[in-house]
Amino acid sequence: MSINLSSLNKQQQDAVTYCDTPLLVIAGAGTGKTKVIIHKIAYLIEELQIDPKNILSVTFTNKAAKEMKLRLNAIIGNKAEQVWMGTFHSICLRILRKEAHNLPLKKGFGIIDQDDRLSALKNIVKELNIDHKKYPPKQYLWMISNFKNSMDYVENKDPDDFIHKFTDVFTAYQKYLEFTNMMDFDDMIAYTVRILLTNDSLRKFYQNIFQYILVDEYQDTNYIQFMFLKLLNGDTGKICVVGDDDQSIYGWRGAEIRNILDFDKHFKNVKTIKLTVNYRSTPDILFAANTLIANNNFRKGKELTTAFGKEQESLLKNGTGNIAIGECHDEIHEAKMVVDNIEDLLKENVAPNEIAVLYRTNAQSRSFEVELNKRNIPYKVIGGVSFYSRREIKDILAYLKLIDNPYDVDALKRAAKNPPKGIGNVIIQKIIDYASSNAVDLLEALNATQNFSKGKTARCLQSFENTLNNIMGEEKIADKIKAILKSTGYNTYLKQFEEQNEAAKRINNIEELINAAAIFDENSSDYDLSDFLATTTLTTSADEETEKSVSLMTLHSAKGLEFHSVFLTGLEEGLFPLFRAMENEMELEEERRLCYVGITRAKKKLFFTYTNTRMVYGKRQFSSPSMFVEEIKHCIPSSESDNEVSQNTSELKANTKVFHQKYGDGIILNVKGNGEKAKVDVFFREAGLKKMLAESLEIL
DNA sequence: CGCACGAGAATTTTT
DNA sequence: TTCTCGTGCG
């Protein structure tokens, strides 16, 4: 069977078929990079006869992996199932489960989520008598994460005392993880890299397995992830990374934009292919995006841009009037304006799930929720409190975690207390102490403690033990959960202590959890509880389905998605960009890239809003329009300069006097290419020589 | 042990 | 504004 590449353009075809040396694909927003990756995998399998189980494809989210598998399936059928496809974390976990004997943990290790990590550190900070106001546990969490993403940790070196008593905190934290038999997110990757680095035969083994590696969203990988790829790939050159430096928005959590900028230095004989034809947005939306991002200096390609080619010429004719800016009095007015527009769109039969409201911070979702509720428009808040970190879900999972990993102290605490069953901190501590001094697991310790106790305490412990036994007695995970509910009377407890509405919601969530478990049960023959729990911690609400609702989410969560209509809200100085980012050029540029990501999510319609005042922590504050609004203002029809600019750029010649939003007056030195994509060297009166795209200039 | 209450803090983005 | 944490009482 051969793969049909006729639906791909030349650039895309080149990217698919080039497999000789390391390949860097710079793929602008909406240029069909997923299509390229899928076709490339199909090409590797069908044309180059590579076994699907020897292909590794790394994606940024589980959702992306799932989608890719589905689309790949459509081309090559169920061979798609055998491809290693997932996030760095899920792939590393899969490796680590197999290589558990090479780890400092016991076989059935658990995974600690971010919340539990923080509370563990809170306890440690308290135990070490550190002033938690002066040195917030969050700070330590962040530092630990940083350290674990360095080669020092991978190479098992001790950390420096970065901040007050860091070494002590770190040591205590590691001890805690070891005692509870858990690893954190960072460990998943660091341990894998450590194993690959130190164990030659294992490295060769996996190098042999992964005969071709593909990586999506490469601009958001960090150094350790790069090492992972490097070690797996060896010198084979059988690797293809895809990304867009203009969409790098995770620098704050250690993403290394240099990974993509320096790819050709990290690998030998790198071939670079750029995808520059945008298939997503109308020309004016694209123009706005290009105009905005042209204000950034740190870009791989000042010469690279998304552009529209012949395919979209028809769009050019009616490709304007799709952008609007709305000025609002406050966030309530903003919500009304946005929802008014949403109603109009719905009347025009735009599907609800083709509409997204985007904002910088999660806190901004509230006013939109209120307004959408009022008008009975179904919506879904993506992100925020993820499904699996909701209280009721964590409660139920605690029971499962405890029986899965009977060293998980937090699970014990949580299960023992929720719902309340007469077991308090004192007894729990006794159990933990017994476990640690007798080197047994918590379940054994629980049993022993029960035997020592008398009266009410003994009875309470007995009943707790019975509950756990009931759970273990069930085979299917869905049945285990039902056993928890039944044995603890969890629903009754909710109804008793929560408001009606709240209780109903939570019970509903639990139903959803049971469904998820049932689906998992169906798909895996051996009811693997560890696997199920891993899924729950690795899955965030970004992976949830949106169905027939309008989507509300942060700009970060919007990455990789597209919508018919997009509302970019809260474009105010200090909010977007955030104040703290405004002082530092690198951070400011990341904010601008974030805005660029937002704009390029829109296919047909784009609405910007900003307010004059906004409630911040219960205080009303004045706000002014974001600099980003200024930067794209002249791309919007209502403002006088209109889109003539884009027409005029085709007339550009050397010595033309021009004006630029940021640099002011200048004169063109030379022009390369033509039309929107033309690259020009401009000498500015104030700013000196700059290379830029013609479209970011106005002719004077 | 477990609840209720009050003070105080925190607010960026997430695999 | 909203959540978290600590304290004190039944």
Side-chain angles (χ1 to χ4, degrees), chain A residues 15-38:
Chain A
V16 167
T17 53
Y18 188 88
C19 302
D20 298 340
T21 65
L23 175 64
L24 168 63
V25 180
I26 303 280
T31 55
K33 87 192 146 113
T34 309
K35 197 174 184 183
V36 164
I37 294 175
I38 290 162

Side-chain angles (χ1 to χ4, degrees), chain A residues 391 419-420 491-500 502-503:
Chain A
R391 211 185 63 220
N491 288 0
T492 324
Y493 154 72
L494 281 180
K495 281 178 200 152
Q496 227 169 335
F497 291 100
E498 299 264 6
E499 258 179 85
Q500 284 263 262
E502 201 56 27

Side-chain angles (χ1 to χ4, degrees), chain A residues 130-415:
Chain A
I130 296 170
D131 181 353
H132 69 278
K133 281 177 189 152
K134 214 164 153 193
Y135 306 100
K138 263 202 176 157
Q139 188 88 24
Y140 288 102
L141 177 64
W142 190 73
M143 298 293 306
I144 288 173
S145 206
N146 263 359
F147 177 64
K148 287 196 169 182
N149 279 292
S150 74
M151 283 311 281
D152 279 354
Y153 178 67
V154 170
E155 287 163 3
N156 234 334
K157 289 181 193 151
D158 290 328
D160 294 325
D161 250 349
F162 300 105
I163 49 174
H164 181 65
K165 290 197 172 173
F166 179 75
T167 327
D168 294 346
V169 174
F170 181 76
T171 312
Y173 173 72
Q174 290 298 84
K175 253 192 200 139
Y176 168 84
L177 287 186
E178 196 182 325
F179 180 68
T180 57
N181 196 32
M182 302 217 272
M183 75 169 64
D184 58 33
F185 276 116
D186 303 316
D187 283 337
M188 292 166 88
I189 300 181
Y191 283 160
T192 311
V193 174
R194 191 185 286 175
I195 288 175
L196 292 174
L197 196 65
T198 53
N199 191 326
D200 290 348
S201 60
L202 220 52
R203 183 173 65 249
K204 280 187 191 119
F205 176 74
Y206 281 101
Q207 281 176 349
N208 205 29
I209 287 184
F210 300 127
Q211 290 175 21
Y212 202 96
I213 300 173
L214 299 101
V215 189
D216 194 7
E217 308 283 12
Y218 189 66
Q219 76 281 358
D220 287 322
T221 52
N222 65 25
Y223 185 75
I224 293 297
Q225 291 164 342
F226 158 75
M227 278 305 287
F228 172 74
L229 297 172
K230 184 88 186 154
L231 286 166
L232 280 183
N233 185 57
D235 285 323
T236 64
K238 301 293 185 192
I239 184 169
C240 167
V241 303
V242 184
D244 178 3
D245 53 321
D246 286 334
Q247 293 188 70
S248 158
I249 55 173
Y250 285 99
W252 54 273
R253 74 171 197 214
E256 193 56 81
I257 196 168
R258 277 180 300 174
N259 282 166
I260 191 163
L261 297 181
D262 294 344
F263 185 73
D264 48 359
K265 291 181 195 130
H266 295 148
F267 290 85
K268 274 180 219 152
N269 303 320
V270 167
K271 162 107 174 161
T272 302
I273 293 175
K274 290 173 188 166
L275 307 184
T276 55
V277 184
N278 175 293
Y279 292 94
R280 183 183 293 154
S281 310
T282 61
D284 54 346
I285 290 173
L286 208 53
F287 178 52
N290 284 329
T291 306
L292 180 86
I293 202 67
N295 289 282
N296 271 8
N297 288 316
F298 295 97
R299 303 174 66 195
K300 167 133 193 153
K302 294 206 190 296
E303 77 291 346
L304 161 82
T305 172
T306 52
F308 36 94
K310 291 193 179 71
E311 289 89 333
Q312 294 206 335
E313 247 165 35
S314 59
L315 271 175
L316 268 167
K317 287 167 199 145
N318 56 354
T320 56
N322 300 306
I323 311 180
I325 294 193
E327 176 180 342
C328 314
H329 176 247
D330 56 17
E331 71 278 358
I332 297 170
H333 181 202
E334 182 183 43
K336 283 200 177 114
M337 187 185 281
V338 167
V339 178
D340 279 348
N341 277 294
I342 290 178
E343 278 186 333
D344 288 346
L345 289 167
L346 293 174
K347 266 182 220 148
E348 292 163 24
N349 283 325
V350 176
N353 61 1
E354 279 290 334
I355 300 172
V357 180
L358 308 183
Y359 36 77
R360 180 65 239 261
T361 68
N362 277 125
Q364 289 165 253
S365 73
R366 173 154 278 113
S367 54
F368 298 109
E369 291 187 61
V370 170
E371 194 60 33
L372 287 163
N373 263 327
K374 240 186 229 169
R375 309 203 206 175
N376 278 321
I377 299 175
Y379 66 89
K380 196 144 193 173
V381 182
I382 319 274
V385 194
S386 88
F387 181 76
Y388 289 105
S389 61
R390 285 177 197 154
R391 211 185 63 220
E392 63 278 16
I393 302 300
K394 290 204 88 170
D395 284 348
I396 303 295
L397 290 180
Y399 290 87
L400 298 179
K401 281 185 180 173
L402 181 58
I403 60 165
D404 181 54
N405 173 21
Y407 295 91
D408 190 334
V409 173
D410 281 319
L412 171 72
K413 285 183 186 163
R414 188 153 199 133

Side-chain angles (χ1 to χ4, degrees), chain A residues 403 421 423 442-451 458-472 487:
Chain A
I403 60 165
K421 44 180 87 61
I423 303 173
L442 296 167
L443 294 181
E444 269 181 64
L446 169 66
N447 188 269
T449 313
Q450 194 234 118
N451 292 331
R459 277 201 306 280
C460 292
L461 288 174
Q462 176 68 61
S463 123
F464 184 40
E465 222 179 349
N466 285 343
T467 301
L468 294 176
N469 285 331
N470 286 342
I471 304 166
M472 287 189 274
S487 187

Side-chain angles (χ1 to χ4, degrees), chain A residues 638-658:
Chain A
S638 56
S639 49
E640 61 280 24
S641 56
D642 221 288
N643 58 337
E644 283 163 31
V645 181
S646 72
Q647 316 284 318
N648 283 347
T649 47
S650 54
E651 316 292 326
L652 284 179
K653 296 193 289 278
N655 292 326
T656 313
K657 278 187 190 164
V658 290

